[in-house]
Amino acid sequence: MMDNVKGKVIVITGSSSGNGEAAARHLAERGATVVLAARRKDRIEALEKELASAGHQAKAIVTDVVDKAQVQNLLDTTVETFGKVDVLINNAGLMPLAPLEQVKTDEWDQMIDVNLKGTLYGIAAALPHMAKQKSGHIINVSSVYGHKLGPDATVYCATKHAVRTLSEGLRQEVKPYNIRTTIISPGAVATELLEHISDKEIQAQTKDFVSQIAIPADSFARMVAFAINEPEDVDVNEILFRPTAQPI
């Protein structure tokens, strides 16, 4: 069985917990070199140490995706250290749900900055390296809410719909450079995402619903590995997955 993950250099934003952390572990175990990017220095350095002690190759680089210079440093340092970047997983995201009438514009700004602009900054930093290599794979994380619209999630849904639109445009534009693109849209996965909800009533209701159906973050990791593992002439453009029990 072919293993197209082994030997790849893979950058993962939001890798201090949840889906990003699970993906880092899974891909490292498959033989990839993983570059761990997140704001929480202690978390990613602990994960780097854990993976290294297990014989895997990992490097932690503290990165806030809302800072364009930090994202540029992330990709430049990766290429300087390992000689290439094969995959970028734009995974960092926030989901502070609230009805529009609460007018939480600071939260709207955060979601636009992290979910959308952070993804754009990742593309901006990775694309020149991948175009020069004439190879690469950019994986952008959307959501079931990038396909559906739910009450109290209007701005979050808007950012995740935008990620899908951006990703399709990217796919069409990078054909001359042999770059693959994938959108991964998870449903209810057990992560820290719900901790971002500042409205306590909405948070409690959402946690109660999700706790009954959520699947482990390793499910996301396997979806990422599947897309990467396909032969270089196969471009898995979109994966939408949910718990079997999820109705929405």
Side-chain angles (χ1 to χ4, degrees):
M1 180 179 174
M2 182 194 69
D3 193 344
N4 202 28
V5 173
K6 187 175 182 179
K8 279 199 159 68
V9 176
I10 302 175
V11 177
I12 309 169
T13 68
S15 54
S16 60
S17 66
N19 289 335
E21 181 181 1
R25 285 200 174 92
H26 186 73
L27 295 168
E29 290 167 1
R30 292 278 296 267
T33 294
V34 293
V35 180
L36 313 168
R39 293 175 301 166
R40 292 181 286 189
K41 184 174 185 286
D42 57 333
R43 291 276 193 98
I44 57 173
E45 288 186 348
L47 181 56
E48 176 189 40
K49 185 177 179 180
E50 174 194 323
L51 294 174
S53 66
H56 307 309
Q57 194 160 18
K59 182 176 179 62
I61 302 176
V62 176
T63 307
D64 185 343
V65 299
V66 306
D67 187 323
K68 182 166 56 176
Q70 289 188 37
V71 179
Q72 187 68 55
N73 174 70
L74 169 65
L75 272 297
D76 290 349
T77 301
T78 296
V79 174
E80 290 165 8
T81 304
F82 301 109
K84 61 176 182 172
V85 54
D86 294 302
V87 184
L88 167 64
I89 305 174
N90 282 312
N91 167 70
L94 294 172
M95 192 182 73
L97 306 179
L100 289 173
E101 67 180 1
Q102 290 186 6
V103 195
K104 294 189 174 184
T105 55
D106 288 346
E107 292 185 355
W108 302 351
D109 288 341
Q110 284 181 325
M111 283 186 279
I112 292 167
D113 287 345
V114 175
N115 299 352
L116 181 55
K117 291 173 68 176
T119 298
L120 278 165
Y121 291 160
I123 292 168
L127 195 51
H129 292 296
M130 292 181 176
K132 184 178 179 180
Q133 296 169 174
K134 290 293 180 72
S135 68
H137 192 169
I138 296 175
I139 299 176
N140 294 329
V141 179
S142 180
S143 169
V144 166
Y145 271 163
H147 299 255
K148 303 288 186 179
L149 179 62
D152 306 326
T154 302
V155 179
Y156 179 73
C157 291
T159 63
K160 291 303 186 177
H161 275 76
V163 167
R164 291 184 60 230
T165 300
L166 167 63
S167 301
E168 172 57 16
L170 176 67
R171 184 194 69 78
Q172 294 181 26
E173 292 187 21
V174 297
K175 298 300 98 181
Y177 306 112
N178 193 39
I179 295 171
R180 303 192 294 173
T181 66
T182 303
I183 307 161
I184 298 188
S185 299
V189 178
T191 71
E192 295 180 3
L193 196 62
L194 304 186
E195 300 304 323
H196 304 144
I197 302 174
S198 60
D199 184 302
K200 296 306 177 185
E201 182 177 351
I202 293 174
Q203 184 187 59
Q205 291 171 352
T206 307
K207 281 186 171 182
D208 180 61
F209 168 72
V210 169
S211 68
Q212 297 177 50
I213 63 168
I215 51 180
D218 186 60
S219 58
F220 172 85
R222 293 195 303 273
M223 300 299 165
V224 168
F226 169 77
I228 296 170
N229 192 56
E230 285 300 290
E232 296 298 328
D233 61 349
V234 176
D235 197 5
V236 180
N237 299 131
E238 186 155 12
I239 298 173
L240 167 60
F241 73 100
R242 302 171 171 89
T244 304
Q246 183 171 343
I248 299 172

